[in-house]
Amino acid sequence: MKKIISLTANTARKCLNMAYSGCRKAYNWYLRTFKRLPWYGRIGMGLASFIIGLIVLLGMIDINFLGLFGKSPSMFNIKEPIQHIASEIYSSDGKLIGKYYSENRTPVEYKDISPILIKTLVYTEDERFYKHFGIDFEGVFAAAKDFITQGDARGASTITQQLVKNLFKVRSQYSTGLLGHIPGVKLLIMKAKEWVTAVKIEMLYSKEEILTMYFNTVDFGSNAFGIKTACHTYFNTTPDKVTVEQAATLIGLLKATTYYNPRINPKNSLARRNVVLGKLYEQHMLSKEQLDSIRQLPTVLHFKEETETSGNALYFRDAVANSLRDWCKENDIDLYGDGLKIYTTIDSRMQQYAEEAVNKQMREIQKKFDNHWANMAPWRDRQGEELPHFIEDLAARTPAYRYLSQRYANSPDSITYYLNLPHRCKVFDYDLGQRDTLLSTMDSIRYMVSFMHCGFVAIAPHTGEVKAWVGDINFNSWKYDKVLSKRQPGSTFKLFVYTEAMNQGLSPCDLRVDENIPWEVEEDGEKKIWMPHNANGGATLDTFSLKMAFAQSVNTIAANVAHEIGIPNIIRTAHAMGIRTELDTIPSLSLGASDVSLLELVSAYGTVVNDGVAIEPVLVTRIEDKDGKVIYEKEPEETQAIPYESAYLMQQMLRGGLTCPGGTSQALWRFKIFDKGTEFGGKTGTSSNHSDAWFVGVSPNLVGGAWVGGEYRSIHFRTGELGQGSRTALPVFGYFMEKVLADKHLAKEYIARFPSPKEKIERSWDCNTYLPHYSDSDSLNILLGDSLLTGDEDLDLERLEQILEN
């Protein structure tokens, strides 16, 4: 080993000596030759030496010789540049509903860029663009001359060099090596790298391709990257349709995207625009008359800055991004920079109708809620007492409190003072979306937590495709998605109790008594008694069919049936049908005491409508890469969750909520959704303290569900009808379906009747399903229950009787 090391060292020493000797001989030869030449020969040899030396230096910088200069963009990087392109999200009806991006950029082709834009860029930024090879030496020498003679350095970067800065960011993403630590040397190294990379780009790409890449990469300010986004942001137009003055404004602001921004600095922008127009005149692109005329025109903006919250279906888009996170990780895909085209299941029209339905209903709910509590605090415990320190506890979770507690760690009075000090802030407003106001942190919390909230989702049951998704009343104010949040479903959970009953051979017409039957349960090693009770606190001891008990939401019968068939069996069926949340094995589960999400609940109801076949909710159908290649295609996951016969019988049970006397879903009759023959069913639900109000409505081709409640479970209506699912959640579905069925493009798909049995069914279901004619509203009220006639609109009795006759 010692011999090998010694031999290697000797060899290295000899190589260095030879190199040193060779360099010395070359240097001596150079000096002898230089001295023998006449003065003009010496100038020529010196110039040639400088050029050769510069080329050698640039080559050494490019290869990062001895680590002195840092890494430079490779030929591979230049051939395959990493360009952050926004991914676009499309609705099922082909509408662009939003984007995911780190830089808001959508590329265009050269043919889609107006010639006036191209000429304006070249004549303003690099008039010798078509003559140089990446470096404009004439411009460099002119800039050097100005600096020496006038002390004013003008820019000499070519469009190609600017492209290098935009595309590779050599001044920030690439190191400068050991020599970069020497003051003044770093800038020279960076400039040299730009020159070398610019020459490489000119070798690999045509002038048209370079211009296209430049237009697609450059930052135009206002979160607009690339010419397509810039045209849309500032003028609501496209690159092929810009006018001369618009082109001059856009190219002009490239000099300084803030100082010459036409929105925030209109005077500077106008002056700069006119300078650019002068350049076009100098190049004979404009006549003197045209120049004078256009300079008199004001800058007319149609400004709309795109942000992450621009577009539609914001909660849905968030859900899509979350659903794709693992897939992107597994496939090394950047959702925010790879320029994907994501085709979703959402229908833009149905989404709009859903948002309008939520907005319409929640405005009314908020008025009632505010009147209900008047000047009292709505945050209450189960005994109805105001929760002490509720607002203070919420304030302690805010960034403002964390900042103040660090700054005034030993002065709690200062923390209290600043938390109660009014300051400018934005709060939610139904008319403005968000409004600026002057409130303290404490008052803003009191204001914001006093709003009622809503989630709504609609799913096509035969495909699992989500057609509408509203996560709350305002995305900018509340990011927490109420379609995915977990809350107690109340009586909507009875679907699974009765479905399992059908699985075990019971029928809708089987009879049970409305009576309190105690359950003996074991809790923490102790035996306790759980006693189910109805909403009115008692039991009638009347006999009900299961269909009637389900329609009227009789708690005692649901609990007693659950006792018969077993809570574990109910849980197994709920999970098979689409509930993914872990459920508590407790008797009160039968009445909806275990949390679930609105999405999984509506999906599970869809299993009933889909003849017992469960389909996982589908959000995305297809994804294409930036080149249009399909890289993801969703295939629905289907399982026969329950027997067909059970599903058919439960369809009739759900319809009973509207057709059985006293059915809790009969408030749906007041909506104009029955006149074209569509059949509906549904189930309401209300948690025990009115914290959660639910309704899931079903029709043959569409299932939709709504949840209404406070942000916190302690904020709700007091005991009474105002907080019931039929009053708060059901109208959201009603308003939504009114608009869907009134849309001639959608109606043909969603106007439908439930089909007759596909196979012979032995069990009876046609009981308690009748609505005879009544001539006065009192009699009809007795038949249908109070919920029908207590809405905000009068019931059209004549229309209802015509529907029932048919």
Side-chain angles (χ1 to χ4, degrees):
M1 180 61 71
K2 289 182 179 180
K3 288 183 178 180
I4 294 174
I5 294 174
S6 176
L7 182 60
T8 304
N10 290 332
T11 302
R13 193 179 301 112
K14 289 179 181 179
C15 289
L16 288 173
N17 288 334
M18 290 173 63
Y20 174 75
S21 177
C23 289
R24 188 172 182 82
K25 288 179 180 178
Y27 177 69
N28 290 333
W29 174 86
Y30 180 85
L31 284 179
R32 289 195 303 271
T33 304
F34 186 79
K35 290 176 181 180
R36 286 198 296 265
L37 291 173
W39 66 269
Y40 52 85
R42 294 180 183 181
I43 293 174
M45 188 172 182
L47 184 59
S49 300
F50 172 77
I51 294 173
I52 293 171
L54 180 61
I55 293 173
V56 171
L57 176 62
L58 292 176
M60 293 171 66
I61 291 174
D62 188 41
I63 65 173
N64 189 20
F65 182 71
L66 298 179
L68 297 175
F69 306 101
K71 186 180 178 183
S72 297
S74 66
M75 290 298 286
F76 176 79
N77 296 141
I78 296 170
K79 287 181 180 178
E80 301 289 339
I82 298 174
Q83 187 177 15
H84 292 282
I85 302 172
S87 293
E88 298 177 336
I89 312 120
Y90 290 90
S91 65
S92 61
D93 54 323
K95 299 294 176 61
L96 177 66
I97 60 174
K99 299 177 181 178
Y100 302 127
Y101 58 82
S102 53
E103 293 180 354
N104 187 14
R105 176 185 291 107
T106 303
V108 293
E109 296 181 14
Y110 183 83
K111 63 182 177 62
D112 298 320
I113 304 172
S114 169
I116 191 62
L117 266 172
I118 293 169
K119 292 176 181 178
T120 303
L121 173 67
V122 171
Y123 293 149
T124 304
E125 294 291 320
D126 186 2
E127 62 186 37
R128 286 178 291 275
F129 172 72
Y130 292 102
K131 298 178 181 178
H132 64 65
F133 203 67
I135 305 170
D136 182 9
F137 287 106
E138 185 177 340
V140 171
F141 290 132
K145 177 185 175 184
D146 289 347
F147 179 73
I148 294 170
T149 59
Q150 303 174 20
D152 179 25
R154 61 175 173 174
S157 289
T158 64
I159 288 175
T160 315
Q161 287 174 253
Q162 293 179 43
L163 174 61
V164 172
K165 295 177 189 176
N166 297 335
L167 203 55
F168 301 106
K169 297 179 173 59
V170 293
R171 300 195 178 191
S172 59
Q173 293 185 1
Y174 291 88
S175 65
T176 54
L178 297 175
L179 295 181
H181 299 288
I182 301 174
V185 175
K186 178 178 180 179
L187 182 59
L188 295 175
I189 294 174
M190 290 295 96
K191 198 67 180 175
K193 289 185 178 184
E194 288 175 10
W195 282 12
V196 172
T197 309
V199 171
K200 289 180 180 178
I201 287 177
E202 293 275 355
M203 292 168 60
L204 290 173
Y205 298 101
S206 68
K207 291 292 186 180
E208 288 186 358
E209 289 172 329
I210 292 171
L211 286 170
T212 305
M213 292 168 69
Y214 180 87
F215 272 116
N216 282 329
T217 56
V218 68
D219 180 5
F220 286 89
S222 299
N223 198 34
F225 293 84
I227 190 62
K228 184 175 183 178
T229 306
C231 289
H232 183 266
T233 298
Y234 291 105
F235 300 110
N236 192 29
T237 188
T238 54
D240 60 331
K241 295 179 181 178
V242 295
T243 62
V244 173
E245 60 271 21
Q246 290 171 345
T249 300
L250 291 172
I251 300 304
L253 71 81
L254 294 177
K255 186 174 183 180
T257 56
T258 300
Y259 187 77
Y260 294 115
N261 190 296
R263 178 171 173 265
I264 59 181
N265 287 309
K267 290 183 179 179
N268 298 344
S269 173
L270 185 63
R272 176 63 179 162
R273 182 201 74 174
N274 290 340
V275 169
V276 174
L277 290 171
K279 296 275 189 182
L280 296 180
Y281 169 70
E282 292 172 6
Q283 298 293 332
H284 309 294
M285 285 292 298
L286 298 175
S287 67
K288 188 67 168 67
E289 292 77 15
Q290 288 175 317
L291 174 66
D292 293 340
S293 175
I294 296 174
R295 277 181 168 174
Q296 298 303 313
L297 296 175
T299 301
V300 180
L301 293 179
H302 296 280
F303 184 83
K304 186 177 181 181
E305 182 177 355
E306 285 188 311
T307 66
E308 292 180 351
T309 58
S310 298
N312 303 317
L314 298 175
Y315 290 99
F316 174 76
R317 283 157 44 187
D318 245 18
V320 168
N322 290 331
S323 71
L324 293 175
R325 184 178 291 116
D326 290 342
W327 175 80
C328 288
K329 187 176 181 180
E330 291 168 4
N331 293 276
D332 193 26
I333 287 173
D334 179 5
L335 182 64
Y336 299 88
D338 281 353
L340 308 177
K341 282 187 169 49
I342 303 167
Y343 297 92
T344 71
T345 59
I346 214 83
D347 184 288
S348 65
R349 298 156 297 186
M350 296 171 75
Q351 178 66 24
Q352 179 184 339
Y353 300 151
E355 291 177 2
E356 290 172 354
V358 168
N359 185 276
K360 181 176 182 178
Q361 173 64 0
M362 294 310 295
R363 283 174 180 265
E364 293 301 315
I365 292 297
Q366 193 61 46
K367 289 177 184 176
K368 292 176 181 178
F369 186 76
D370 293 341
N371 293 334
H372 180 71
W373 286 106
N375 295 320
M376 295 185 293
W379 37 92
R380 304 277 164 160
D381 61 20
R382 288 187 173 274
Q383 286 68 47
E385 299 296 324
E386 181 179 348
L387 289 170
H389 312 299
F390 179 75
I391 299 299
E392 289 77 6
D393 291 342
L394 292 180
R397 305 178 196 172
T398 64
Y401 180 87
R402 289 194 293 271
Y403 168 77
L404 292 171
S405 62
Q406 291 175 359
R407 183 171 182 179
Y408 302 105
N410 300 317
S411 180
D413 289 343
S414 296
I415 297 175
T416 302
Y417 170 78
Y418 284 109
L419 286 175
N420 287 279
L421 184 68
H423 61 275
R424 305 286 323 166
C425 62
K426 287 186 177 182
V427 295
F428 172 69
D429 182 276
Y430 265 107
D431 294 323
L432 301 175
Q434 283 190 320
R435 63 180 171 88
D436 290 316
T437 187
L438 196 65
L439 285 175
S440 70
T441 298
M442 301 301 289
D443 286 338
S444 66
I445 294 173
R446 291 187 185 94
Y447 174 83
M448 293 294 281
V449 299
S450 296
F451 279 94
M452 294 295 283
H453 297 267
C454 180
F456 177 83
V457 67
I459 298 176
H462 305 300
T463 62
E465 294 185 355
V466 174
K467 309 309 287 183
W469 179 309
V470 183
D472 206 343
I473 55 177
N474 184 268
F475 182 82
N476 290 322
S477 299
W478 293 280
K479 298 292 192 294
Y480 188 45
D481 192 334
K482 306 308 185 294
V483 171
L484 299 173
S485 62
K486 307 292 179 68
R487 301 290 286 251
Q488 289 185 352
S491 292
T492 57
F493 194 84
K494 292 174 183 174
L495 176 84
F496 308 109
V497 175
Y498 286 102
T499 299
E500 177 56 24
M502 299 302 111
N503 289 346
Q504 295 192 24
L506 277 67
S507 77
C509 296
D510 285 347
L511 303 178
R512 292 295 184 273
V513 177
D514 173 14
E515 58 183 335
N516 302 111
I517 299 177
W519 283 32
E520 186 179 88
V521 296
E522 189 170 314
E523 187 175 312
D524 298 329
E526 297 182 14
K527 290 186 177 180
K528 297 183 179 181
I529 299 298
W530 178 76
M531 181 79 77
H533 59 80
N534 293 318
N536 59 12
T540 64
L541 300 181
D542 288 344
T543 300
F544 289 76
S545 69
L546 295 187
K547 185 175 183 179
M548 183 72 81
F550 183 65
Q552 295 188 6
S553 205
V554 181
N555 286 345
T556 55
I557 293 180
N560 296 342
V561 170
H563 193 267
E564 286 182 45
I565 60 180
I567 294 294
N569 296 326
I570 295 170
I571 292 175
R572 185 178 62 251
T573 293
H575 284 155
M577 293 174 66
I579 299 298
R580 295 292 169 258
T581 304
E582 186 176 344
L583 300 171
D584 299 323
T585 310
I586 52 176
S588 57
L589 172 78
S590 59
L591 305 183
S594 192
D595 291 358
V596 299
S597 75
L598 179 62
L599 179 65
E600 56 189 347
L601 187 68
V602 173
S603 176
Y605 271 70
T607 298
V608 169
V609 177
N610 196 31
D611 296 337
V613 177
I615 305 178
E616 284 290 317
V618 179
L619 280 62
V620 175
T621 56
R622 186 176 87 256
I623 298 176
E624 296 175 359
D625 65 14
K626 61 184 176 63
D627 299 318
K629 179 184 177 183
V630 176
I631 56 175
Y632 172 90
E633 205 153 12
K634 178 67 176 179
E635 294 184 5
E637 302 171 23
E638 300 183 1
T639 55
Q640 188 71 44
I642 57 175
Y644 167 76
E645 186 171 4
S646 295
Y648 183 83
L649 294 174
M650 287 308 300
Q651 290 173 17
Q652 309 313 309
M653 295 275 276
L654 285 167
R655 294 178 64 191
L658 278 77
T659 59
C660 288
T664 61
S665 300
Q666 289 185 342
L668 202 61
W669 284 110
R670 73 179 177 88
F671 294 92
K672 297 176 182 178
I673 57 178
F674 299 93
D675 54 342
K676 296 180 177 64
T678 301
E679 293 179 330
F680 290 92
K683 186 73 191 76
T684 59
T686 311
S687 59
S688 58
N689 64 346
H690 293 78
S691 292
D692 307 284
W694 304 74
F695 178 74
V696 182
V698 302
S699 66
N701 294 329
L702 195 63
V703 179
W707 167 90
V708 175
E711 183 79 0
Y712 300 93
R713 299 187 195 219
S714 58
I715 299 175
H716 50 77
F717 286 101
R718 285 167 283 182
T719 301
E721 295 178 352
L722 285 176
Q724 293 178 352
S726 60
R727 292 292 194 89
T728 57
L730 181 148
V732 177
F733 178 80
Y735 291 135
F736 169 71
M737 289 305 305
E738 277 186 339
K739 295 208 168 189
V740 169
L741 297 181
D743 188 319
K744 62 181 181 180
H745 301 292
L746 297 171
K748 58 185 178 182
E749 183 173 353
Y750 297 110
I751 292 176
R753 293 177 177 272
F754 285 101
S756 301
K758 297 177 181 178
E759 57 187 55
K760 186 175 182 181
I761 296 177
E762 301 291 346
R763 285 173 276 179
S764 174
W765 68 83
D766 194 14
C767 48
N768 306 117
T769 304
Y770 58 91
L771 284 175
H773 294 285
Y774 280 80
S775 59
D776 61 274
S777 60
D778 290 335
S779 299
L780 191 62
N781 190 37
I782 292 171
L783 175 68
L784 301 182
D786 293 338
S787 62
L788 181 59
L789 300 178
T790 52
D792 297 329
E793 301 175 12
D794 294 329
L795 176 69
D796 187 341
L797 297 178
E798 183 178 350
R799 178 169 60 85
L800 176 59
E801 290 193 80
Q802 289 175 351
I803 293 168
L804 299 177
E805 273 187 330
N806 296 330

